[in-house]
């Protein structure tokens, strides 16, 4: 007889909800990136208008997690699991906001030709997306090794961010008519860098869930 | 007594007052109890929660100098009416007490006791009822090879589950539980709690508990009693997150009581 079958089922439902939220945010981030690369304003608007679904899921997760804390007297890993549910859902909600920010930059740029062929930005996006996917997979499988591996890529993204922004700023004097676009692209680089940070934070929470120890994986 | 009600309420208590001699133990309690839900009653000692529970199957009618007024409508009939058949009422409203109290008989005879009182004699029928009740309380696998062994040889947690099986064997509609885990170890307690969660598929359960976490874990609705008054009654999720009355909040957060 499983003496906590009811609680275990509630925890599983909570995890399913978290994975649903993470999936929605991952899709929003991907679509926002695609909208920028393809100058697809329609897709960008879809991302902007869909963000409330992610916000609603965060609210639902917080309500469920708090109720389980109030009613089920969780301790040890059960307690960490609920703490992590609250923390990770807030990280994921921020990812949704970042997707909206990227989508808004797409709208700002509109149909305007890109000032140069976008090569480095997609590469940076790819690394950040890999990190995000790894973080979500590590969360699904509760795998601290994968979480740590995910976080190791953060330095790479930070480095790309620094270099890209420097490069973008050099375009402004040569292409003053494209100043708005260049600033938007610099913003986008900043947003991508933040995606990697949030993926790292999710990874840190997975390590905490499994080990009970706090690691700063950004070091 | 036909157990068919048009509403979701299996019990509907109205303006219930109860005195033990001069002591006014329940004061104007209105309390609907919904079918196939777990309703928990919490409150400090002497608040009236156990008295209220015992009124639902008139256990306290046997106490000298008790006076009860108001209405306790069960399945549409006021059981406070003098013509209520107590044996029939308790067939529909079973009860489990603080400590497992099996009869000094075999496991089988303990569970078969209620059905036999109600006239069931055929072995095959009794066997079916006993097996089903033991399965319902998740005890069957533990005792199926020793049904004729003394019930008092079971562990405390098993004895309590046996008593629940004994109460279920008469096919009640409602199960009253008066601190059913207060004498049990934590794991046996969690087993009973998990059982309560499963039993509500078929039965209405009303539980009195001193353990607030238990009320929070097992019940759908929670009532807070204080000095004979029903202070607050709401969904358990509301009581334990946003209680309306400051006295409820003080009690559940351990600030008095």
């Amino acid at each position: 007889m499983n003496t906590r079958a009811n609680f275990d089922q509630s925890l599983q439902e909570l995890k399913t909800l978290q994975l649903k939220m993470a999936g929605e945010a991952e899709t929003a981030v991907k679509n926002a990136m695609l909208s920028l690369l393809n100058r697809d304003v329609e897709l960008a608007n879809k991302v902007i208008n869909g963000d409330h679904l992610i916000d609603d899921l965060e609210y639902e997760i917080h309500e469920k997690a708090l109720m389980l804390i109030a009613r089920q007297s969780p301790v040890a890993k059960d307690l960490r699991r609920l703490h992590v549910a609250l923390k990770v859902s807030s990280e994921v909600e921020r990812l949704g906001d970042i997707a909206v920010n990227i989508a808004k930059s797409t709208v700002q740029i509109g149909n305007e030709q890109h000032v140069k062929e976008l090569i480095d930005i997609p590469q940076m996006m790819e690394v950040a997306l890999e990190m995000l996917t790894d973080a979500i997979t590590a969360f699904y499988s509760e795998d601290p090794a994968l979480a740590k591996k995910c976080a190791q890529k953060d330095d790479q993204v930070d480095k790309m961010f620094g270099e890209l922004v420097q490069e973008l700023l050099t375009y402004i004097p040569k292409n003053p008519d494209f100043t708005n676009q260049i600033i938007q692209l610099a913003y986008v680089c900043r947003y991508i860098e933040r995606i990697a940070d949030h993926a790292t934070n999710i990874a840190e929470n997975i390590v905490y869930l499994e080990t009970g120890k706090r690691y700063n994986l950004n070091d | 007594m036909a157990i068919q009600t048009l509403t979701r309420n299996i019990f509907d208590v109205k303006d219930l007052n109860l005195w033990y001699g001069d002591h006014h133990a329940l004061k104007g309690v209105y309390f609907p109890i919904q079918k196939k839900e777990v309703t928990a009653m919490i409150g400090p000692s002497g608040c009236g929660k156990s008295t209220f529970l015992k009124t639902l199957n008139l256990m306290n009618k046997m106490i000298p100098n008790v006076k009860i007024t108001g209405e306790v409508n069960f399945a549409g009939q006021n059981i406070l009416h003098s013509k209520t058949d107590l044996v029939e009422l308790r067939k529909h409203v079973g009860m489990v007490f603080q400590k497992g109290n099996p009869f000094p008989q075999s496991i089988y005879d303990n569970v078969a006791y209620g059905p036999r009182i109600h006239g069931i004699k055929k072995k095959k029928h009794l066997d079916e009822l006993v097996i089903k009740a033991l399965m319902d309380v998740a005890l069957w696998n533990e005792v199926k090879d020793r049904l004729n062994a003394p019930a008092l040889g079971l562990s405390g947690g098993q004895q309590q589950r046996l008593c629940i099986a004994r109460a279920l064997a008469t096919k009640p509609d409602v199960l009253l539980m008066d601190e059913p885990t207060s004498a049990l170890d934590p794991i046996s307690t969690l087993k009973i709690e998990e059982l309560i969660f499963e039993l509500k598929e078929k039965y209405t359960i009303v539980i009195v508990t001193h353990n607030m976490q238990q009320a929070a874990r097992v019940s759908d609705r929670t009532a807070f009693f204080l000095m004979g008054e029903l202070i607050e009654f709401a969904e358990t999720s509301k009581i334990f997150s946003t209680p309306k009355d400051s006295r409820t909040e003080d009690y559940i957060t351990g600030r008095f009581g």
Side-chain angles (χ1 to χ4, degrees):
Chain A
M1 186 179 191
N2 178 356
T3 50
R4 299 305 305 266
N6 176 32
F7 182 34
D8 286 346
Q9 190 186 333
S10 298
L11 288 174
Q12 190 53 49
E13 285 167 5
L14 184 68
K15 183 166 178 178
T16 303
L17 210 53
Q18 286 177 269
L19 287 168
K20 184 181 173 194
M21 185 189 181
E24 293 282 347
E26 189 183 21
T27 302
V29 167
K30 278 182 189 166
N31 282 341
M33 290 174 173
L34 282 174
S35 76
L36 183 94
L37 300 178
N38 299 328
R39 287 175 293 157
D40 185 342
V41 173
E42 195 180 329
L43 185 58
N45 281 324
K46 196 177 152 196
V47 171
I48 294 164
N49 295 328
D51 186 48
H52 67 94
L53 291 173
I54 297 169
D55 294 346
D56 291 348
L57 281 166
E58 185 201 20
Y59 177 78
E60 195 178 342
I61 288 165
H62 280 204
E63 286 295 300
K64 277 189 189 299
L66 287 174
M67 200 50 69
L68 288 172
I69 290 169
R71 295 188 59 178
Q72 295 291 346
S73 335
V75 293
K77 191 171 178 184
D78 289 338
L79 181 59
R80 291 203 300 278
R81 194 180 288 288
L82 293 169
H83 170 79
V84 164
L86 294 168
K87 297 277 283 182
V88 167
S89 57
S90 293
E91 298 289 343
V92 174
E93 190 274 332
R94 291 294 303 138
L95 284 166
D97 291 346
I98 289 171
V100 168
N101 289 340
I102 296 173
K104 282 181 178 169
S105 289
T106 300
V107 174
Q108 283 279 324
I109 294 168
N111 290 321
E112 191 178 80
Q113 201 65 34
H114 286 145
V115 66
K116 67 172 277 265
E117 191 186 352
L118 300 184
I119 296 168
D120 296 329
I121 289 179
Q123 277 178 4
M124 187 178 169
M125 284 176 173
E126 204 170 308
V127 180
L129 266 180
E130 269 174 29
M131 288 178 67
L132 182 55
T133 305
D134 281 352
I136 294 170
T137 307
F139 176 71
Y140 170 75
S141 53
E142 296 178 11
D143 180 349
L146 181 58
K148 283 180 182 168
K149 186 176 149 236
C150 150
Q152 282 166 3
K153 294 177 193 160
D154 193 35
D155 289 345
Q156 191 184 340
V157 176
D158 288 347
K159 186 163 173 278
M160 288 168 113
F161 167 62
E163 290 167 0
L164 258 170
V165 170
Q166 288 299 322
E167 186 191 337
L168 279 167
L169 293 179
T170 63
Y171 287 112
I172 292 178
K174 291 180 244 167
N175 306 277
D177 294 344
F178 286 86
T179 302
N180 175 52
Q181 184 190 127
I182 292 164
I183 289 171
Q184 291 302 327
L185 290 175
Y187 279 153
V188 167
C189 290
R190 171 71 178 150
Y191 299 143
I192 298 168
E193 190 268 334
R194 292 299 298 152
I195 289 169
D197 286 346
H198 287 295
T200 304
N201 291 345
I202 293 170
E204 285 172 353
N205 275 287
I206 294 156
V207 176
Y208 172 69
L209 171 67
E210 291 303 312
T211 64
K213 289 178 184 161
R214 298 267 180 207
Y215 287 98
N216 185 353
L217 300 179
N218 263 328
D219 281 348
Chain B
M1 189 181 291
I3 307 305
Q4 286 179 345
T5 52
L6 294 175
T7 66
R8 292 219 355 101
N9 298 342
I10 193 159
F11 272 105
D12 201 357
V13 176
K14 293 178 180 169
D15 196 23
L16 177 66
N17 284 276
L18 185 146
W19 290 263
Y20 293 120
D22 293 335
H23 175 56
H24 197 176
L26 288 173
K27 299 169 186 169
V29 173
Y30 286 78
F31 199 138
I33 294 174
Q34 297 206 359
K35 286 179 202 166
K36 295 189 179 175
E37 279 197 353
V38 180
T39 302
M41 287 179 285
I42 58 172
S45 295
C47 69
K49 58 189 188 299
S50 288
T51 295
F52 180 81
L53 189 79
K54 286 171 191 159
T55 309
L56 298 179
N57 70 348
L58 298 181
M59 286 286 285
N60 42 19
K61 252 199 161 179
M62 293 179 286
I63 299 169
N65 295 323
V66 159
K67 182 183 161 197
I68 311 174
T69 65
E71 293 177 29
V72 178
N73 296 300
F74 173 60
Q77 293 180 34
N78 184 2
I79 61 170
L80 296 183
H81 195 280
S82 58
K83 287 181 181 167
T84 298
D85 179 342
L86 291 181
V87 174
E88 183 67 11
L89 172 67
R90 288 170 194 160
K91 181 182 167 188
H92 292 288
V93 186
M95 192 156 188
V96 176
F97 299 90
Q98 288 185 9
K99 199 159 177 275
N101 53 353
F103 303 135
Q105 298 173 337
S106 70
I107 292 167
Y108 183 98
D109 287 341
N110 262 276
V111 184
Y113 182 84
R116 279 177 176 145
I117 280 186
H118 291 284
I120 295 170
K121 291 193 174 73
K122 282 190 180 167
K123 175 126 184 11
K124 194 180 166 205
H125 193 185
L126 280 174
D127 284 353
E128 282 171 9
L129 288 172
V130 169
I131 291 170
K132 189 172 177 309
L134 289 171
M135 281 183 163
D136 275 353
V137 301
L139 196 56
W140 174 245
N141 284 335
E142 294 165 53
V143 301
K144 64 184 175 190
D145 299 326
R146 48 175 172 146
L147 292 175
N148 293 319
L152 292 169
L154 296 171
S155 71
Q158 287 173 325
Q159 286 188 17
Q160 190 60 301
R161 277 187 282 150
L162 180 70
C163 291
I164 296 172
R166 188 174 64 191
L168 297 182
T170 60
K171 297 188 174 172
D173 300 282
V174 182
L175 197 55
L176 307 179
M177 301 180 126
D178 192 0
E179 298 192 49
T181 63
S182 60
L184 301 181
D185 66 90
I187 296 299
S188 299
T189 296
L190 289 172
K191 279 186 184 172
I192 299 280
E193 288 181 6
E194 202 60 35
L195 180 61
I196 290 169
F197 190 79
E198 285 167 18
L199 289 176
K200 76 170 180 179
E201 292 277 317
K202 298 180 191 168
Y203 308 94
T204 303
I205 294 170
V206 188
I207 179 170
V208 162
T209 177
H210 269 304
N211 180 338
M212 275 176 286
Q213 280 72 33
Q214 180 166 73
R217 283 193 292 264
V218 303
S219 68
D220 298 296
R221 287 168 205 275
T222 298
F224 171 56
F225 281 81
L226 187 64
M227 294 192 292
E229 286 181 56
L230 176 59
I231 303 297
E232 191 165 353
F233 178 44
E235 288 169 19
T236 299
S237 54
K238 289 220 171 86
I239 291 282
F240 285 93
S241 59
T242 47
K244 283 189 179 155
D245 194 292
S246 60
R247 289 168 293 179
T248 312
E249 177 131 9
D250 286 347
Y251 183 69
I252 63 169
T253 56
R255 286 178 170 78
F256 86 85

